[in-house]
Short mmCIF file of all heavy atoms in Angstrom, two decimals:
data_model
loop_
_atom_site.label_atom_id
_atom_site.label_comp_id
_atom_site.label_asym_id
_atom_site.label_seq_id
_atom_site.Cartn_x
_atom_site.Cartn_y
_atom_site.Cartn_z
N ALA A 1 -17.49 103.84 69.77
CA ALA A 1 -18.51 104.89 69.71
C ALA A 1 -17.97 106.19 69.13
O ALA A 1 -18.69 106.92 68.44
CB ALA A 1 -19.08 105.13 71.10
N THR A 2 -16.70 106.51 69.39
CA THR A 2 -16.17 107.81 69.00
C THR A 2 -15.34 107.78 67.72
O THR A 2 -15.24 108.81 67.04
CB THR A 2 -15.28 108.37 70.13
OG1 THR A 2 -14.22 107.45 70.40
CG2 THR A 2 -16.10 108.59 71.39
N GLN A 3 -14.74 106.63 67.39
CA GLN A 3 -13.83 106.61 66.24
C GLN A 3 -14.17 105.53 65.21
O GLN A 3 -14.24 105.80 64.02
CB GLN A 3 -12.39 106.41 66.73
CG GLN A 3 -11.90 107.51 67.66
CD GLN A 3 -10.46 107.32 68.09
OE1 GLN A 3 -9.65 106.70 67.38
NE2 GLN A 3 -10.10 107.84 69.26
N LEU A 4 -14.40 104.30 65.67
CA LEU A 4 -14.55 103.19 64.73
C LEU A 4 -15.88 103.20 64.01
O LEU A 4 -16.02 102.51 62.98
CB LEU A 4 -14.37 101.85 65.47
CG LEU A 4 -13.01 101.63 66.13
CD1 LEU A 4 -12.93 100.24 66.72
CD2 LEU A 4 -11.87 101.88 65.16
N GLU A 5 -16.86 103.96 64.51
CA GLU A 5 -18.15 103.98 63.84
C GLU A 5 -18.05 104.60 62.45
O GLU A 5 -18.91 104.38 61.59
CB GLU A 5 -19.16 104.76 64.67
CG GLU A 5 -18.83 106.23 64.84
CD GLU A 5 -19.88 106.99 65.60
OE1 GLU A 5 -20.85 106.36 66.06
OE2 GLU A 5 -19.74 108.22 65.75
N ARG A 6 -16.99 105.38 62.19
CA ARG A 6 -16.80 106.00 60.88
C ARG A 6 -15.93 105.15 59.96
O ARG A 6 -15.62 105.57 58.85
CB ARG A 6 -16.17 107.38 61.05
CG ARG A 6 -17.15 108.46 61.44
CD ARG A 6 -16.45 109.77 61.70
NE ARG A 6 -15.68 109.71 62.92
CZ ARG A 6 -16.20 109.92 64.13
NH1 ARG A 6 -17.47 110.18 64.26
NH2 ARG A 6 -15.45 109.85 65.21
N VAL A 7 -15.51 103.99 60.42
CA VAL A 7 -14.65 103.13 59.61
C VAL A 7 -15.47 101.93 59.12
O VAL A 7 -15.76 101.01 59.89
CB VAL A 7 -13.42 102.63 60.41
CG1 VAL A 7 -12.53 101.78 59.52
CG2 VAL A 7 -12.64 103.81 60.98
N GLY A 8 -15.86 101.95 57.86
CA GLY A 8 -16.57 100.84 57.25
C GLY A 8 -15.64 100.02 56.37
O GLY A 8 -14.44 100.33 56.25
N PRO A 9 -16.15 98.99 55.75
CA PRO A 9 -15.30 98.15 54.88
C PRO A 9 -14.63 98.95 53.76
O PRO A 9 -13.46 98.70 53.44
CB PRO A 9 -16.29 97.12 54.32
CG PRO A 9 -17.38 97.06 55.34
CD PRO A 9 -17.51 98.45 55.88
N ILE A 10 -15.35 99.90 53.18
CA ILE A 10 -14.76 100.67 52.08
C ILE A 10 -13.60 101.51 52.61
O ILE A 10 -12.52 101.57 51.99
CB ILE A 10 -15.83 101.56 51.42
CG1 ILE A 10 -16.90 100.68 50.75
CG2 ILE A 10 -15.19 102.49 50.40
CD1 ILE A 10 -18.03 101.47 50.13
N GLU A 11 -13.81 102.18 53.74
CA GLU A 11 -12.75 103.00 54.31
C GLU A 11 -11.54 102.15 54.71
O GLU A 11 -10.39 102.57 54.55
CB GLU A 11 -13.26 103.77 55.53
CG GLU A 11 -14.26 104.86 55.22
CD GLU A 11 -15.66 104.34 54.96
OE1 GLU A 11 -15.89 103.12 55.18
OE2 GLU A 11 -16.52 105.13 54.53
N PHE A 12 -11.81 100.95 55.21
CA PHE A 12 -10.72 100.07 55.63
C PHE A 12 -9.87 99.66 54.43
O PHE A 12 -8.64 99.71 54.46
CB PHE A 12 -11.28 98.84 56.34
CG PHE A 12 -10.23 97.90 56.85
CD1 PHE A 12 -9.54 98.17 58.02
CD2 PHE A 12 -9.91 96.75 56.14
CE1 PHE A 12 -8.57 97.30 58.48
CE2 PHE A 12 -8.95 95.87 56.60
CZ PHE A 12 -8.27 96.15 57.77
N VAL A 13 -10.54 99.23 53.35
CA VAL A 13 -9.81 98.80 52.16
C VAL A 13 -9.10 100.00 51.51
O VAL A 13 -7.95 99.89 51.07
CB VAL A 13 -10.76 98.12 51.17
CG1 VAL A 13 -10.03 97.79 49.86
CG2 VAL A 13 -11.33 96.84 51.77
N ALA A 14 -9.79 101.14 51.46
CA ALA A 14 -9.17 102.34 50.88
C ALA A 14 -7.92 102.73 51.65
O ALA A 14 -6.94 103.21 51.07
CB ALA A 14 -10.16 103.49 50.85
N GLY A 15 -7.93 102.52 52.96
CA GLY A 15 -6.76 102.83 53.77
C GLY A 15 -5.56 101.98 53.40
O GLY A 15 -4.41 102.44 53.49
N GLN A 16 -5.81 100.75 52.96
CA GLN A 16 -4.69 99.89 52.55
C GLN A 16 -4.06 100.40 51.25
O GLN A 16 -2.85 100.24 51.04
CB GLN A 16 -5.16 98.45 52.36
CG GLN A 16 -5.98 97.87 53.50
CD GLN A 16 -5.35 98.07 54.86
OE1 GLN A 16 -4.17 97.84 55.05
NE2 GLN A 16 -6.15 98.54 55.81
N LEU A 17 -4.86 101.02 50.41
CA LEU A 17 -4.34 101.51 49.13
C LEU A 17 -3.37 102.67 49.32
O LEU A 17 -2.61 102.99 48.40
CB LEU A 17 -5.49 101.94 48.23
CG LEU A 17 -6.49 100.83 47.85
CD1 LEU A 17 -7.61 101.39 46.98
CD2 LEU A 17 -5.78 99.68 47.14
N LEU A 18 -3.38 103.29 50.50
CA LEU A 18 -2.45 104.37 50.77
C LEU A 18 -1.00 103.88 50.83
O LEU A 18 -0.07 104.69 50.85
CB LEU A 18 -2.81 105.08 52.07
CG LEU A 18 -4.13 105.84 52.06
CD1 LEU A 18 -4.41 106.45 53.42
CD2 LEU A 18 -4.14 106.92 50.98
N LEU A 19 -0.82 102.56 50.88
CA LEU A 19 0.54 102.01 50.80
C LEU A 19 1.14 102.21 49.42
O LEU A 19 2.34 102.02 49.23
CB LEU A 19 0.52 100.52 51.13
CG LEU A 19 0.28 100.15 52.59
CD1 LEU A 19 0.05 98.66 52.72
CD2 LEU A 19 1.45 100.57 53.45
N GLY A 20 0.30 102.56 48.44
CA GLY A 20 0.79 102.81 47.10
C GLY A 20 1.16 101.54 46.37
O GLY A 20 0.56 100.48 46.58
N PRO A 21 2.17 101.60 45.50
CA PRO A 21 2.54 100.42 44.70
C PRO A 21 2.98 99.23 45.56
O PRO A 21 2.91 98.09 45.11
CB PRO A 21 3.67 100.92 43.81
CG PRO A 21 4.18 102.15 44.49
CD PRO A 21 3.01 102.76 45.18
N ALA A 22 3.44 99.48 46.77
CA ALA A 22 3.83 98.37 47.63
C ALA A 22 2.64 97.49 47.99
O ALA A 22 2.82 96.31 48.31
CB ALA A 22 4.50 98.90 48.90
N PHE A 23 1.43 98.03 47.93
CA PHE A 23 0.25 97.22 48.22
C PHE A 23 0.12 96.10 47.19
O PHE A 23 -0.26 94.97 47.53
CB PHE A 23 -1.01 98.08 48.23
CG PHE A 23 -2.26 97.32 48.52
CD1 PHE A 23 -2.51 96.80 49.78
CD2 PHE A 23 -3.21 97.10 47.53
CE1 PHE A 23 -3.67 96.08 50.06
CE2 PHE A 23 -4.37 96.40 47.79
CZ PHE A 23 -4.60 95.88 49.06
N ALA A 24 0.42 96.39 45.92
CA ALA A 24 0.39 95.35 44.90
C ALA A 24 1.41 94.26 45.21
O ALA A 24 1.15 93.06 44.99
CB ALA A 24 0.66 95.96 43.52
N LEU A 25 2.55 94.66 45.75
CA LEU A 25 3.56 93.68 46.14
C LEU A 25 3.04 92.80 47.27
O LEU A 25 3.28 91.58 47.28
CB LEU A 25 4.83 94.41 46.58
CG LEU A 25 6.10 93.58 46.74
CD1 LEU A 25 6.56 93.06 45.39
CD2 LEU A 25 7.20 94.42 47.38
N ALA A 26 2.30 93.38 48.21
CA ALA A 26 1.74 92.60 49.31
C ALA A 26 0.68 91.62 48.80
O ALA A 26 0.62 90.48 49.27
CB ALA A 26 1.13 93.55 50.35
N VAL A 27 -0.15 92.06 47.86
CA VAL A 27 -1.16 91.16 47.29
C VAL A 27 -0.48 89.99 46.58
O VAL A 27 -0.90 88.83 46.71
CB VAL A 27 -2.08 91.94 46.33
CG1 VAL A 27 -3.02 90.97 45.59
CG2 VAL A 27 -2.89 92.97 47.10
N LEU A 28 0.56 90.28 45.83
CA LEU A 28 1.32 89.21 45.17
C LEU A 28 1.93 88.27 46.21
O LEU A 28 1.95 87.05 46.01
CB LEU A 28 2.42 89.83 44.30
CG LEU A 28 3.33 88.84 43.55
CD1 LEU A 28 2.51 87.98 42.60
CD2 LEU A 28 4.42 89.60 42.80
N GLY A 29 2.38 88.82 47.32
CA GLY A 29 2.94 87.98 48.38
C GLY A 29 1.90 87.07 48.99
O GLY A 29 2.18 85.88 49.26
N ALA A 30 0.69 87.57 49.23
CA ALA A 30 -0.37 86.73 49.78
C ALA A 30 -0.72 85.61 48.80
O ALA A 30 -0.91 84.45 49.20
CB ALA A 30 -1.60 87.58 50.09
N TRP A 31 -0.81 85.95 47.52
CA TRP A 31 -1.11 84.93 46.52
C TRP A 31 0.00 83.87 46.49
O TRP A 31 -0.28 82.67 46.40
CB TRP A 31 -1.25 85.57 45.14
CG TRP A 31 -1.62 84.58 44.07
CD1 TRP A 31 -2.86 84.26 43.64
CD2 TRP A 31 -0.70 83.77 43.30
NE1 TRP A 31 -2.79 83.29 42.66
CE2 TRP A 31 -1.48 82.97 42.43
CE3 TRP A 31 0.68 83.65 43.27
CZ2 TRP A 31 -0.90 82.08 41.55
CZ3 TRP A 31 1.25 82.75 42.39
CH2 TRP A 31 0.47 81.97 41.54
N HIS A 32 1.23 84.32 46.57
CA HIS A 32 2.35 83.38 46.52
C HIS A 32 2.31 82.42 47.71
O HIS A 32 2.51 81.20 47.54
CB HIS A 32 3.66 84.17 46.52
CG HIS A 32 4.89 83.32 46.55
ND1 HIS A 32 5.34 82.60 45.46
CD2 HIS A 32 5.78 83.06 47.55
CE1 HIS A 32 6.44 81.95 45.77
NE2 HIS A 32 6.73 82.20 47.04
N LEU A 33 2.04 82.94 48.90
CA LEU A 33 2.03 82.08 50.09
C LEU A 33 0.87 81.09 50.06
O LEU A 33 0.98 79.99 50.61
CB LEU A 33 1.94 82.95 51.35
CG LEU A 33 3.18 83.79 51.68
CD1 LEU A 33 2.89 84.72 52.84
CD2 LEU A 33 4.39 82.90 51.99
N LEU A 34 -0.23 81.47 49.43
CA LEU A 34 -1.41 80.60 49.43
C LEU A 34 -1.46 79.65 48.25
O LEU A 34 -2.07 78.57 48.35
CB LEU A 34 -2.68 81.46 49.44
CG LEU A 34 -2.95 82.26 50.72
CD1 LEU A 34 -4.17 83.15 50.54
CD2 LEU A 34 -3.16 81.32 51.90
N ARG A 35 -0.81 80.01 47.14
CA ARG A 35 -1.01 79.24 45.91
C ARG A 35 0.25 78.59 45.36
O ARG A 35 0.17 77.55 44.71
CB ARG A 35 -1.61 80.15 44.83
CG ARG A 35 -2.92 80.80 45.21
CD ARG A 35 -4.04 79.79 45.33
NE ARG A 35 -4.29 79.11 44.05
CZ ARG A 35 -5.12 78.10 43.90
NH1 ARG A 35 -5.78 77.63 44.95
NH2 ARG A 35 -5.30 77.55 42.72
N ALA A 36 1.39 79.19 45.58
CA ALA A 36 2.61 78.64 44.96
C ALA A 36 2.95 77.28 45.55
O ALA A 36 2.91 77.09 46.77
CB ALA A 36 3.78 79.61 45.15
N GLU A 37 3.28 76.35 44.70
CA GLU A 37 3.57 74.99 45.17
C GLU A 37 4.81 74.95 46.04
O GLU A 37 4.87 74.21 47.03
CB GLU A 37 3.75 74.06 43.96
CG GLU A 37 2.46 73.83 43.18
CD GLU A 37 2.67 72.84 42.05
OE1 GLU A 37 3.81 72.32 41.93
OE2 GLU A 37 1.71 72.59 41.29
N ASP A 38 5.83 75.74 45.69
CA ASP A 38 7.06 75.69 46.47
C ASP A 38 6.95 76.48 47.78
O ASP A 38 7.90 76.55 48.54
CB ASP A 38 8.24 76.21 45.65
CG ASP A 38 8.02 77.63 45.15
OD1 ASP A 38 6.86 78.11 45.22
OD2 ASP A 38 8.99 78.25 44.69
N ALA A 39 5.78 77.11 48.03
CA ALA A 39 5.56 77.83 49.29
C ALA A 39 4.64 77.07 50.22
O ALA A 39 4.11 77.63 51.18
CB ALA A 39 4.99 79.22 49.00
N GLU A 40 4.46 75.77 49.97
CA GLU A 40 3.53 74.99 50.79
C GLU A 40 3.95 74.98 52.26
O GLU A 40 3.11 74.97 53.16
CB GLU A 40 3.47 73.56 50.26
CG GLU A 40 2.51 72.68 51.03
CD GLU A 40 2.50 71.25 50.50
OE1 GLU A 40 3.26 70.97 49.57
OE2 GLU A 40 1.72 70.43 51.03
N ARG A 41 5.25 75.01 52.53
CA ARG A 41 5.72 74.99 53.91
C ARG A 41 5.27 76.21 54.70
O ARG A 41 5.18 76.16 55.93
CB ARG A 41 7.25 74.90 53.94
CG ARG A 41 7.81 73.59 53.43
CD ARG A 41 9.31 73.69 53.30
NE ARG A 41 9.72 74.63 52.26
CZ ARG A 41 10.97 75.01 52.04
NH1 ARG A 41 11.94 74.55 52.80
NH2 ARG A 41 11.26 75.86 51.08
N TRP A 42 4.99 77.31 54.01
CA TRP A 42 4.64 78.56 54.68
C TRP A 42 3.18 78.95 54.45
O TRP A 42 2.81 80.11 54.61
CB TRP A 42 5.56 79.68 54.17
CG TRP A 42 7.00 79.28 54.25
CD1 TRP A 42 7.68 78.86 55.36
CD2 TRP A 42 7.94 79.21 53.17
NE1 TRP A 42 8.97 78.56 55.05
CE2 TRP A 42 9.18 78.77 53.71
CE3 TRP A 42 7.88 79.50 51.81
CZ2 TRP A 42 10.32 78.59 52.93
CZ3 TRP A 42 9.01 79.34 51.04
CH2 TRP A 42 10.22 78.88 51.59
N ARG A 43 2.37 77.96 54.08
CA ARG A 43 0.97 78.24 53.80
C ARG A 43 0.27 78.82 55.04
O ARG A 43 -0.64 79.66 54.91
CB ARG A 43 0.27 76.97 53.36
CG ARG A 43 -1.02 77.19 52.63
CD ARG A 43 -0.79 77.57 51.17
NE ARG A 43 -0.44 76.44 50.37
CZ ARG A 43 0.42 76.48 49.36
NH1 ARG A 43 1.04 77.60 49.07
NH2 ARG A 43 0.70 75.40 48.65
#
């Protein structure tokens, strides 16, 4: 009621971008864990 009502999907995603260029590294990491063949053990 006091804090989370101001946090919508856009604000949530925008908050992740505050990580700066490291956020791109995290996105690449998620793609690698989900798609890379040699990462199947850690899917």
Side-chain angles (χ1 to χ4, degrees):
T2 59
Q3 300 182 27
L4 299 185
E5 65 177 3
R6 280 176 289 277
V7 182
I10 295 177
E11 291 78 8
F12 182 79
V13 175
Q16 311 310 314
L17 298 178
L18 294 178
L19 288 170
F23 180 70
L25 193 67
V27 173
L28 179 60
W31 183 92
H32 177 74
L33 291 173
L34 292 175
R35 302 292 298 173
E37 292 183 3
D38 57 347
E40 181 181 2
R41 292 172 293 173
W42 310 304
R43 199 79 77 216

